[in-house]
Amino acid sequence: MPVYVVLLGPPGAGKGTQAGIVAKATGLVHISSGDLFREHIKNQTDLGKQVDAILKRGDLVPDDVTIAMIRERLTQPDCANGAILDGFPRTPAQAEALNGMLAEFGGKVDVVPYIQVEQAELIDRLSGRWVCRAHGHVYNATSNPPKTAGVCDLDGSELYQRDDDKRETVEKRIRVYFEQTAPLIEHYRGEGRLVDINGAQEIAQVTEDLLKALPEQAK
Ligand code: ADP
Ligand code: ADP
């Protein structure tokens, strides 16, 4: 049976960083809704043109568009053993749609690690975030710098700062998270699938805690 992990946590909590590491360690596929949108924007697809301004403002993309994009990704053959979802679902309607999709694929949301970090630290982290052009590998100017400034250690591509990591947009995204996404925490906790993870620790310690939270068949 495929294994599906949903990473929850505010912008800057470390979801992308951890999903990348855990995907390598387990063989599960890392699916980041934000990376998928940014790829569409880079390639100037119809979807990319539709969502560009929404991402720049820090608002959420409408549910129907987001759900269709994730469904398409989850049906690719590389997801046959499951996936780590990073940034999806972000609303109750997306969570409900996800349950329906996974049931079709013979699976379910197995575990929901919730990575917690306090707000001042989130703002600090996002203002120092650098991302690689080729694959979205994530760095931080202070806590996780690349070996050579401005260059990705893993693929040599250029590092850039995201438009929506500007201070005003970061504050907006954190607000949007508390209004629209935070309700999912209690929803998944009520279903017994939530695992609280202290995201304020060193990257390697957060990974260790996350790996412990995964179901046996993913390890
Ligand atoms: P998210 O996907 O939740 O928005 P990211 O994984 O992109 O978060 O991380 C946000 C920023 O914080 C990046 O610059 C990343 O390098 C940095 N970061 C991630 N985890 C930690 C950590 N445990 N301690 C310090 N900085 C971290
Ligand atoms: P972060 O990792 O910092 O939380 P993401 O890369 O996950 O940011 O998301 C960037 C932007 O992409 C969001 O601010 C939003 O505009 C859009 N987005 C990503 N995932 C979703 C989603 N599940 N629903 C709606 N919009 C989304």
Side-chain angles (χ1 to χ4, degrees):
M1 234 203 323
V3 173
Y4 297 101
V5 179
V6 166
L7 282 188
L8 272 188
K15 301 181 297 299
T17 301
Q18 295 297 334
I21 300 170
V22 171
K24 258 201 199 122
T26 59
L28 293 173
V29 174
H30 172 197
I31 300 181
S32 158
S33 44
D35 284 352
L36 292 173
F37 285 130
R38 283 185 288 277
E39 196 63 26
H40 278 281
I41 292 170
K42 186 168 85 182
N43 296 332
Q44 301 187 320
T45 66
D46 288 345
L47 174 59
K49 288 178 194 154
Q50 198 182 333
V51 304
D52 192 8
I54 300 176
L55 267 81
K56 283 212 174 78
R57 286 200 306 272
D59 284 324
L60 292 187
V61 174
D63 284 334
D64 53 347
V65 174
T66 306
I67 291 164
M69 179 182 75
I70 293 290
R71 164 184 280 284
E72 205 270 321
R73 181 66 188 89
L74 281 171
T75 55
Q76 311 276 316
D78 61 334
C79 295
N81 294 326
I84 305 172
L85 292 166
D86 154 21
F88 181 92
R90 253 176 161 94
T91 64
Q94 292 179 16
E96 199 175 314
L98 179 64
N99 283 342
M101 277 183 236
L102 299 189
E104 267 177 53
F105 307 149
K108 61 180 191 317
V109 174
D110 290 287
V111 62
V112 184
Y114 165 39
I115 308 180
Q116 295 187 50
V117 174
E118 59 153 359
Q119 192 156 331
E121 169 75 8
L122 297 174
I123 294 173
D124 251 25
R125 285 187 186 182
L126 293 173
S127 66
R129 173 158 68 183
W130 289 81
V131 181
C132 94
R133 292 247 183 243
H135 300 101
H137 297 125
V138 184
Y139 298 87
N140 190 279
T142 47
S143 63
N144 184 28
K147 291 196 183 81
T148 308
V151 180
C152 180
D153 293 350
L154 300 171
D155 58 36
S157 74
E158 180 201 19
L159 302 182
Y160 74 101
Q161 289 193 285
R162 279 168 45 179
D163 276 346
D164 60 347
D165 279 345
K166 287 197 301 269
R167 173 98 194 200
E168 319 81 82
T169 320
V170 161
E171 287 173 357
K172 161 96 170 277
R173 283 162 53 217
I174 293 173
R175 255 195 338 271
V176 166
Y177 167 81
F178 281 108
E179 287 166 11
Q180 306 203 46
T181 307
L184 297 182
I185 298 164
E186 292 319 312
H187 167 80
Y188 284 122
R189 197 189 296 285
E191 293 183 345
R193 296 189 237 200
L194 201 86
V195 179
D196 289 293
I197 303 280
N198 174 6
Q201 310 173 91
E202 297 271 325
I203 291 175
Q205 186 59 53
V206 178
T207 305
E208 199 177 313
D209 291 357
L210 268 171
L211 289 172
K212 279 190 213 138
L214 297 188
E216 275 314 312
Q217 74 264 38
K219 290 181 189 166

